[in-house]
Amino acid sequence: MKIGIVLGSTRPGRVGDQVARWVHARAVDRLDAEYALVDLRDHPLPHLEEPPGFSGSYQDERTREWAATVAACDGFVFVTPEYNHSVPGVLKNALDHVHVEWNGKAAGFVSYGGVGGARSVEQLRLVCGALQLADVAPQVTLPLATEFADRTEFKPGAHQLDALDLVLDHVVAWSAALTALRRGDAEAAIRQRLDAIVDGLRNKDLETLRRSYAPDVVSFDVEPPLQHVGVEAKLENWAKVFTLFEKVDYELRDLTVAVSGDLAVGHGFGRVSGTLKDGVVTDGMWVRATFVLRDTRDGWVIVHDQASVPFDFATGRGMTELTP
């Protein structure tokens, strides 16, 4: 698992960087997850220049980079100050910029401010509910008057380490518990992507197909050459099919999908059939179909696929009449 420690202030003279380093230093000594410091200064997002991100598809490159950073984490610890009884604007903007990348993950809080940043966290918990982030109950609150020398130099009491350990314990436990949910969501998204390919073939829509493949996709198809490299070569192959068929149909059956992190493998049986240009109706042949997909800024895309036909060893003849 990977837990992102999100530093939610970019203000000049901030003390949050001291707090975030303290959280990170404590966390990396643990053996239960990978911990990464995520500083919002490294992600200067525009303000509300992106359409709502419920689809997971983003137009601005800055948003795409931020979405990839969020998607790579299984849970989060937000290090946040309290500004005017509320959440820092830059943190709220970062939360609002993406959506599906937060879903089904866990969140904990380390806050600082006049009353330990408690009022900021109360509002963040409401936001987490909307983003389908499971916020854990324990939190670390760091009053400026007691945990900072001259309100600028972070000097936490020893008891705060126990509080931090409890937050990390809960974030890791909840992140692990939600793994099955996230995998289920990923499988659903992958099946939707493959359904989109089927629709694209039936509609002879090359642009829909283009969105389903990685630019560097490698494809092992049933016709020469041995491999097609790159999305243009893959689309050229499908374009040949479209020139042969007046009406195209494609079936994908017995599909099994396995997901691990940002990679997935699917396998099943596929068949191209339809009506040829001369009016002849053909049932086509069943092939063994394998897909390798990667989770990217544009969702799950195919990075490798393979269609294979069984053959008879004695004759070397392809066995195209088999039915699954």
Side-chain angles (χ1 to χ4, degrees), residues 75 137 175 180 192 216 297 305 311:
S175 297
Q192 288 176 359
D216 56 350
R297 301 167 185 170
D305 64 3
F311 73 97

Side-chain angles (χ1 to χ4, degrees), residues 164-241:
L164 176 58
D165 288 342
L166 188 59
V167 169
L168 295 173
D169 287 345
H170 279 242
V171 169
V172 169
W174 275 91
S175 297
L178 291 166
T179 298
L181 173 64
R182 294 196 302 277
R183 285 179 178 167
D185 289 344
E187 181 175 341
I190 289 166
R191 290 181 180 274
Q192 288 176 359
R193 175 65 80 183
L194 296 176
D195 286 344
I197 291 176
V198 173
D199 289 341
L201 293 174
R202 289 172 176 170
N203 295 318
K204 297 184 177 181
D205 186 348
L206 287 175
E207 287 309 307
T208 293
L209 295 175
R210 180 186 299 275
R211 292 192 293 272
S212 299
Y213 295 100
D216 56 350
V217 60
V218 176
S219 181
F220 293 171
D221 214 327
V222 293
E223 66 172 4
L226 288 175
Q227 64 179 8
H228 305 277
V229 180
V231 67
E232 297 304 330
K234 182 65 182 178
L235 294 179
E236 182 180 348
N237 202 37
W238 281 125
K240 291 178 183 177
V241 174

Side-chain angles (χ1 to χ4, degrees), residues 239-267:
K240 291 178 183 177
V241 174
F242 296 162
T243 62
L244 296 173
F245 283 83
E246 183 67 30
K247 182 180 179 181
V248 180
D249 194 14
Y250 185 83
E251 300 169 76
L252 182 61
R253 57 169 290 183
D254 300 343
L255 177 65
T256 299
V257 176
V259 182
S260 179
D262 62 351
L263 291 175
V265 176
H267 59 82

Side-chain angles (χ1 to χ4, degrees), residues 39 73 83 97 108 117 123 127 162 168 171 191 225 241 254 304 313:
D39 190 340
C73 296
Y83 293 162
H97 251 75
Q123 295 196 21
V127 177
D162 292 335
L168 295 173
V171 169
R191 290 181 180 274
V241 174
D254 300 343
H304 173 67
F313 272 99

Side-chain angles (χ1 to χ4, degrees), residues 3-10 14 16-17 19-21 23-24 35-41 43 66 69-70 73 75-81 88 90-92 94-95 102 106-112 124 133:
I3 307 298
I5 300 169
V6 181
L7 174 50
S9 171
T10 60
R14 64 183 182 179
D17 52 346
V19 179
R21 288 195 300 268
V23 174
H24 185 255
Y35 294 89
L37 187 56
V38 180
D39 190 340
L40 292 185
R41 280 187 179 176
H43 298 277
W66 174 237
T69 299
V70 175
C73 296
F76 306 90
V77 176
F78 292 101
V79 178
T80 178
V90 68
L91 177 54
K92 184 62 164 64
L95 288 163
W102 299 115
F109 307 98
V110 176
S111 61
Y112 59 94
L124 281 172
L133 271 168

